[in-house]
């Protein structure tokens, strides 16, 4: 439930991460933080590249932090822009969060806290591959 998540530390961490972003091409820093089911907070920032399409979104870094730090399930995620405003993760990054948080994971959005299955309905996931 949204009320049970301590959101402020996630926002603080996401804002901290925007200061570490490498965004010389877009000038658009992004930071993200996620609460893991074991209580850890994982985070990431965007890392751009001269080959624009190679750019890593902030959520990529967060997921890498999650897995490299021992794994677990994301239960809440907050992504922000360079002004600390809530940023809706791009489509690809919703898929990343889906993989590691699933339908129940909560996401801060410009329209308030939503579940992942509200922002990525009918998602493709591991269950689909189980039916192969
Ligand atoms: N960006 C993210 O880091 N996450 C998103 O969900 C949307 C976009 C970054 C990628 C790029 O460095 C910059 O924002 C502008 O697109």
């Amino acid at each position: 439930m949204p009320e049970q998540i301590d959101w402020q530390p996630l926002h603080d961490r996401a804002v901290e991460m925007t200061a570490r972003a490498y965004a010389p091409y877009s000038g658009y820093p992004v930071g993200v933080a996620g609460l893991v089911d074991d209580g850890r907070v994982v985070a990431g920032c965007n890392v751009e590249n001269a080959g624009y399409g190679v750019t890593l979104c902030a959520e990529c870094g967060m997921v890498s932090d999650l897995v490299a730090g021992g794994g677990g399930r994301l239960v809440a995620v907050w992504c922000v822009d360079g002004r600390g405003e809530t940023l809706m993760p791009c489509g690809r990054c919703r898929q990343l969060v889906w993989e590691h948080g699933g339908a129940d994971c909560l996401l801060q959005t410009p329209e308030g806290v939503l579940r992942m299955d509200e922002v990525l309905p009918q998602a493709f996931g591991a269950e689909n591959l189980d039916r192969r």
Side-chain angles (χ1 to χ4, degrees), residues 22-23 26-31 45-48 55-60 79 87-91 93-94:
Y22 178 73
S26 70
Y28 192 85
V30 178
C45 59
N46 53 335
V47 180
E48 297 186 347
T55 288
L56 302 175
C57 281
E59 296 89 332
C60 299
C79 188
L87 175 69
M88 195 65 198
C90 73
C93 290
R94 291 181 210 184

